[in-house]
Amino acid sequence: MADTLIVGGGTAGCVLAERLSADPAHTVRLLEAGRLWASRDAMPAELLDAASLPIGPEASWLWRYEVVLADDPPVQATIVRGRVIGGSGAINGGYFVRATVADFDAWSRVLGGSDAWSFDSVLPLYCRVERDLDFGAQPWHGDRGPIPVLRSSDPAPVSAMFTEACLASGFAEVPDLNAPDSGEGVGVVPCNCDQGRRIGPSIGYLLPALGRPNLTVAGETSVTRVRFEGTRAVGVDYVRDGESGTEWADRIVLCAGAIESAALLLRSGIGDPAQLRSLGIPVVHAAPVGSWLSDHPEVGISYLLRLAEPPTVPLETVLEVDDVEIRPYAVSFTPGVHRLGVTLMRPQSSGTLRLRSADPDAAPFIDYRYLTAEPDRARLRDAVATAGGLLRRMNARPVDPIPRPADLDAWLRANLATSQHLSGTCRMGRENDAAAVVDEQCRVHGVTGLSVVDLSVVPVPLGRGPQATTMMIAEKAAAQLRS
Ligand SMILES: Cc1cc2nc3c(=O)[nH]c(=O)nc-3n(C[C@H](O)[C@H](O)[C@H](O)COP(=O)(O)OP(=O)(O)OC[C@H]3O[C@@H](n4cnc5c(N)ncnc54)[C@H](O)[C@@H]3O)c2cc1C
């Protein structure tokens, strides 16, 4: 009987736990740092409401990190992740769009042309995740997966005006952003919600499986490090209710997300040897953990427009041009002030994640290094000009006027934010790839019995938001671990 210990019951962890434990020949234990509820009805209403992001200052289900978005002088920000069953998938915007054919071509190039992560090989896994309520009958969609996917049929006035402005500017209309050949243009966002409820990975996958005798799930249990015998991972140390403990396992899978999976590897001795030694951490294996952090920089344009704001998902429609996504948020973050997000989806600049200390309670240092590469700044300048044109067509007035192109760099920094789509901290690649931490089956190079299955393994920036892809990665890893 195979025995798997999963660390982190977030987006990937919920999918993996359900899929692995569907086979009675596997015992699965899942340790999650945040709270666990046994049923959807027991969950707080804020976590179910698809029309709001439950990430306010009072929210008790978050990890919060102080980060540096750009340097010279530093642009600082606070980012969050879900610390709750379902992880970031329990608190996110519900945008459920697949990565593109071009993304998987780039991913396959990193793997030396292997087709393990080609678009054709992952398409059936995307289909397995979803129950597409609009296009389920199409051959590139699923109609029976655990996650319902739906597009708004009655868009809010701001979304409708934005679409009109895009079409009037000559952009194409994209009927299905999840079609393999979706192309560029404006389209309605597929969302993982149903009847106004966010259907994330815990509701869709994990909770229905909780009664299985071969699945054990513990909430409020924070794993502090992985234990090794030589280079074999044999267990994890954890803290629960202030008490320390150890769980032993045949196989350990980290699903703690792009920040905490990397931090766990580093605290356990897998990372840059000089950095680890400087913190007093014994080195198990040298690896570039945290060296290639990627995310989607977003420049926010606040604008004024008097419109009704019916309750809806935060983002109903997007415009995709080249590798830029323009997002007319349908909910106001400040009353009466709307926001247009201008987002670079395949930035060249990448950042780093490092430990400050070996203490598991010390948050790692995250330096995004956004806007370091001139091509990133150039593409954002062009994209902001495009967004400004769309706002003029909508008769909307930016609160902070968009300056002339020559003065735009300072304005970009002043309005810089992030999409909170961190990836790449434990990159996938071949054994001889100096940037690689895991192999194409998500197994950590240089050790045995340890894998990472979450967004940290993605080796290229993705042209779309990541949650659908995170679930797909976990579906693929589950199939590999079951075989
Ligand atoms: C506010 C917000 C909005 C977003 N909106 C969207 C969106 O609309 N569309 C989209 O595509 N993407 C969105 N994203 C990104 C997307 O949700 C994440 O990229 C994705 O969910 C990551 O999945 P994951 O499995 O890698 O990590 P997570 O889902 O974050 O899961 C990690 C889990 O591990 C647990 N954990 C961490 N450390 C430990 C430990 N030491 N011991 C035990 N457990 C631990 C955490 O508590 C968490 O449950 C958003 C993200 C945020 C933060």
Side-chain angles (χ1 to χ4, degrees), residues 100-114 117-119 346 427-428 458-463:
T100 64
V101 174
D103 292 327
F104 290 101
D105 287 349
W107 190 325
S108 300
R109 280 195 296 277
V110 171
L111 298 177
S114 154
W117 293 84
S118 66
F119 185 82
R346 296 191 185 93
R427 269 171 65 125
M428 183 181 290
V458 177
V460 292
L462 298 176

Side-chain angles (χ1 to χ4, degrees), residues 20 113 139 228:
L20 275 184
F228 288 92

Side-chain angles (χ1 to χ4, degrees), residues 7-12 31-34 55 63 80-84 86-89 91-95 221-223 255-258 260 264 420-421 454-455 465-467 470:
V7 177
T11 309
L31 306 182
E32 162 55 39
I55 58 171
W63 303 80
V80 300
R81 319 295 296 161
R83 184 179 189 138
V84 61
S88 302
I91 55 131
N92 73 14
Y95 156 122
T221 304
S222 290
V223 171
C255 297
E260 296 298 331
L264 271 168
Q420 315 218 44
H421 292 167
D454 58 31
L455 204 61
Q467 85 159 326
T470 312

Side-chain angles (χ1 to χ4, degrees), residues 256-297:
I259 299 176
E260 296 298 331
S261 285
L264 271 168
L265 285 184
L266 292 168
R267 279 202 301 275
S268 308
I270 298 180
D272 174 67
Q275 277 179 30
L276 297 181
R277 286 193 194 104
S278 72
L279 299 172
I281 299 171
V283 178
V284 174
H285 179 67
V289 174
S291 302
W292 300 96
L293 180 151
S294 187
D295 200 333
H296 297 139

Side-chain angles (χ1 to χ4, degrees), residues 116-117 122 154 158 172 175 229 239 258 274 276 283 296 303 308 317 320 326 333 378 396 423 439 446 459 462 471:
W117 293 84
V122 303
D154 182 20
V158 70
E229 274 174 19
V239 176
L276 297 181
V283 178
H296 297 139
Y303 63 95
T317 186
E320 294 184 340
I326 302 188
F333 301 106
S423 66
D439 69 10
L462 298 176
M471 292 192 198

